[in-house]
Amino acid sequence: MNSVFEVQKTIREVLLKVLDNHSLEQLNKIPEGFSNNLIWNIAHCVASQQVLIYKLSGLPTLVSEEFIAKYRKGTKPEGDVSQAEVVEIRNLLSSTLLQVEKDFEANIFVNYNEYTTSLGFTLKNIHGALDFNNYHEGIHTGIVMSIRKFV
């Protein structure tokens, strides 16, 4: 399972670099032809990870329900995020990655509520959820790389 966490660590490092190398204005800008911005895509990765890994395992999430509601699938930015929110999202990128790995090693993911993704892939257990989460974060990292060319 170490490779799953190494992949996620690499993805999260890329997203951290984007946060560190773009201004608040750039992070909030929604370029023409896009429905979201850099910061939404990055926060969406955190929110989705929490749903895929913790919620579907029947466990409490590491982020608030408000955070998940703001960045869940089907949402879009309702306004600009503040610098304080960027700092929170930056911290969550690292802390949630580390905690998922610790929790996995501690075997807390005992149950899993089977879930079929919008792509038609059925997640049956924590292993599938971790794999799919990396795929999902990879997609959004690609979107981030596209958006940053226009901000």
Side-chain angles (χ1 to χ4, degrees):
M1 277 319 283
N2 283 348
S3 64
V4 167
F5 296 112
E6 287 302 313
V7 169
Q8 189 173 43
K9 182 180 178 201
T10 301
I11 291 168
R12 296 288 178 100
E13 286 171 353
V14 168
L15 296 176
L16 286 168
K17 285 179 187 170
V18 171
L19 285 178
D20 292 344
N21 292 307
H22 290 81
S23 69
L24 185 60
E25 181 182 344
Q26 289 173 312
L27 292 172
N28 279 301
K29 182 177 181 181
I30 302 173
E32 191 173 325
F34 290 88
S35 56
N36 291 305
N37 53 27
L38 291 171
I39 196 66
W40 183 92
N41 277 280
I42 293 169
H44 173 72
C45 288
V46 173
S48 295
Q49 176 217 44
Q50 292 296 295
V51 171
L52 291 168
I53 306 303
Y54 287 92
K55 259 193 188 281
L56 289 172
S57 293
L59 298 169
T61 59
L62 306 173
V63 301
S64 69
E65 285 298 321
E66 293 79 21
F67 185 91
I68 291 171
K70 184 174 181 177
Y71 296 109
R72 77 176 339 125
K73 180 183 174 182
T75 64
K76 58 184 179 180
E78 298 294 324
D80 288 353
V81 301
S82 67
Q83 188 61 47
E85 289 172 291
V86 172
V87 170
E88 176 191 12
I89 291 163
R90 187 184 198 295
N91 290 336
L92 287 170
L93 276 172
S94 298
S95 66
T96 56
L97 167 67
L98 295 173
Q99 193 60 51
V100 167
E101 188 170 10
K102 283 181 190 173
D103 289 343
F104 181 82
E105 289 170 1
N107 294 310
I108 73 161
F109 302 108
V110 177
N111 299 312
Y112 198 82
N113 297 308
E114 197 170 287
Y115 173 74
T116 302
T117 70
S118 58
L119 296 171
F121 184 75
T122 301
L123 306 177
K124 297 180 184 208
N125 56 44
I126 190 62
H127 299 282
L130 289 166
D131 287 338
F132 182 81
N133 183 68
N134 281 350
Y135 168 76
H136 177 261
E137 289 195 17
I139 288 172
H140 284 279
T141 300
I143 294 167
V144 163
M145 295 304 159
S146 293
I147 289 175
R148 71 182 187 153
K149 294 176 185 174
F150 298 101
V151 298

